[in-house]
Structure formats: structure tokens, C-alpha cells
Amino acid sequence: MGKEDLEEALPDEDGEGDDYDRDEDFDGDYHGSEAFELKGSEELAMDYDVFGKYVKSAQMENGKPVFLGPKTEGSRPSIAFTMAADGKPTWWVCDASGGECFYAESDSDIPPRKGWRKEYSDDELEVVLEACEGMDGEKDSRARSRSPRREKCPW
């Protein structure tokens, strides 16, 4: 990877580059195999700026990977594992400033798909964490070339 590669912007959800250089503190693989999309209701999206694509970073917390989300306000929201005060294994979705938004109790190696709640509430939220296409053989795992097809050489 040359210096020019480090100066290119990382893509956002809309396919356009953002102002986040590859050599800054984001240490994950934005196009890696462990990527999820956090989806929620329109009402939750108005209250929490945490929805979008999350990727596995090199950072670990309590023995499990931290997943970083789309950049907002100069930082990225995250999904990280912790042991709650009552000793229950818990995944938290935190906003870009580190504020806890919602959680799911699970000891799995990756955050759970469903079961997300707000703190001090027993009601399950309309929040789903879905694997992105091409992840570990799910959905469409076929590698595709981005090169345009060319006609055969006429001679």
C-alpha cells in the first residue's frame, strides 16, 4: 500500500468517500468479512444517530472485538461487549460520543441479531443487526470483478 492509498477517503454508505483518511485511527477493514448493518425504526433513528454499517475493528474489549459504525460528528458509534454490574454478558450500542444507547444480553462472539433494549426497560426495541451481503457465505458470496466485460479479440 503506497502513500497515495493512505490519502484516499473511506467510502460511506452512499458509495462516496468521506473525509476520513485511511491512515487515521480507524483500524478496521471497512470491506472486511465481519460487517453488519444496524437497522431500527424511524422513531429510533430520529433519537439515535447510530444506525448504519458496522465493521470489526482491531480493538478488543473484554476479549471480544469492537465494531465501529458510520462516522458522525468526527467520531464513530460502536458496538462493544462488557460484563454488566449484575454479571450478565452484554453488548452495548454506543453513540459517537460514547453514550450508551441500547443493549442486548448475550455471551456470543459477535453482537446478537435481536433482543436490543433501552436501559431500565424490559421492552424489546425494533432494532436488528443484519449481516452485510457476502459475509461468510451468507446471501451472495460470489466474488465479482469490477472490470467491465470486454469483447473477445477479433484476431
Side-chain angles (χ1 to χ4, degrees):
M1 182 184 289
K3 175 134 176 82
E4 300 80 32
D5 295 328
L6 294 176
E7 299 302 324
E8 293 177 21
L10 288 171
D12 281 335
E13 296 82 38
D14 59 5
E16 303 220 354
D18 65 13
D19 60 350
Y20 206 98
D21 291 335
R22 293 179 189 272
D23 60 346
E24 291 186 37
D25 62 351
F26 180 67
D27 56 0
D29 181 358
Y30 199 82
H31 297 288
S33 63
E34 291 193 64
F36 302 96
E37 186 166 356
L38 185 65
K39 297 179 178 183
S41 69
E42 190 174 317
E43 182 180 340
L44 285 172
M46 289 175 21
D47 293 336
Y48 300 98
D49 196 10
V50 296
F51 296 98
K53 185 175 180 181
Y54 283 74
V55 293
K56 180 180 174 182
S57 73
Q59 180 183 351
M60 300 289 279
E61 194 164 315
N62 297 303
K64 302 198 190 264
V66 173
F67 294 83
L68 299 176
K71 183 177 165 188
T72 59
E73 301 175 14
S75 298
R76 294 184 185 273
S78 64
I79 302 175
F81 180 79
T82 188
M83 292 301 284
D86 61 3
K88 293 182 180 176
T90 307
W91 285 92
W92 275 97
V93 174
C94 296
D95 62 22
S97 64
E100 296 172 337
C101 299
F102 24 86
Y103 72 96
E105 293 177 348
S106 172
D107 194 23
S108 63
D109 289 335
I110 59 173
R113 184 175 190 279
K114 291 184 175 185
W116 298 94
R117 294 176 166 78
K118 289 183 186 177
E119 192 169 21
Y120 308 116
S121 173
D122 291 329
D123 298 332
E124 189 170 326
L125 299 171
E126 293 179 45
V127 173
V128 176
L129 190 66
E130 294 183 350
C132 290
E133 288 186 32
M135 181 183 151
D136 297 332
E138 293 183 18
K139 296 188 181 178
D140 186 4
S141 63
R142 295 175 290 174
R144 296 179 186 232
S145 171
R146 294 181 183 230
S147 306
R149 295 196 185 266
R150 296 184 182 166
E151 294 182 24
K152 292 183 178 178
C153 182
W155 55 90

